[in-house]
Amino acid sequence: KGEAMLESMRAAGRPITPAMEKMAVWMDQMETDVSGEAPMLKPGDASMASPFTVKASSVMPVTDIIKQGRSTLVTTVQMYKILGLTCLSTAYGLSVMYLQGVKFSDVQATLNGMLSAALF
């Protein structure tokens, strides 16, 4: 396919760059390397399919993946709830203190934020 692409570009009078020639060589190599089978993953290979790659012959690992996904979702929602409540309580506390004439300095606000982050 790569050499045919170059020939059609030459016939059309288009300039051919070295990058195009390299890509044509790669296309031809990929076409000759394919043996008709999907490449096999070796143990330890990292891929997008790694969470779904199991040696078991049953569908039980699918339930484990679903449980892990649900756990991740619950944890994320809980994190956002805590963050929202912390923001609301901080805003309420700062507004009450502002009404009484108390203002935090930059250092005090930074320390307050760091301490509240350490608690969660």
Side-chain angles (χ1 to χ4, degrees):
K1 287 188 176 190
E3 206 48 52
M5 178 186 71
L6 289 178
E7 291 300 321
S8 66
M9 291 181 76
R10 285 188 187 111
R14 290 184 167 167
I16 297 174
T17 63
M20 289 178 177
E21 291 176 349
K22 188 184 276 190
M23 185 176 72
V25 170
W26 285 344
M27 288 173 69
D28 290 337
Q29 285 177 351
M30 284 191 304
E31 199 168 285
T32 58
D33 289 344
V34 175
S35 61
E37 295 179 14
M40 292 299 296
L41 292 174
K42 296 178 207 78
D45 284 349
S47 71
M48 292 296 288
S50 62
F52 304 101
T53 307
V54 191
K55 293 184 179 182
S57 60
S58 69
V59 294
M60 287 305 294
V62 174
T63 59
D64 294 336
I65 291 170
I66 292 172
K67 287 176 187 174
Q68 290 173 5
R70 290 180 67 191
S71 299
T72 303
L73 177 66
V74 167
T75 304
T76 305
V77 169
Q78 188 69 26
M79 180 187 68
Y80 281 114
K81 284 181 180 179
I82 290 171
L83 181 66
L85 288 173
T86 304
C87 289
L88 285 174
S89 66
T90 303
Y92 177 75
L94 287 175
S95 63
V96 167
M97 288 192 314
Y98 179 77
L99 290 174
Q100 294 177 359
V102 179
K103 294 181 185 176
F104 275 167
S105 70
D106 288 341
V107 175
Q108 288 172 326
T110 303
L111 287 174
N112 186 19
M114 290 173 61
L115 286 174
S116 64
L119 292 174
F120 293 105

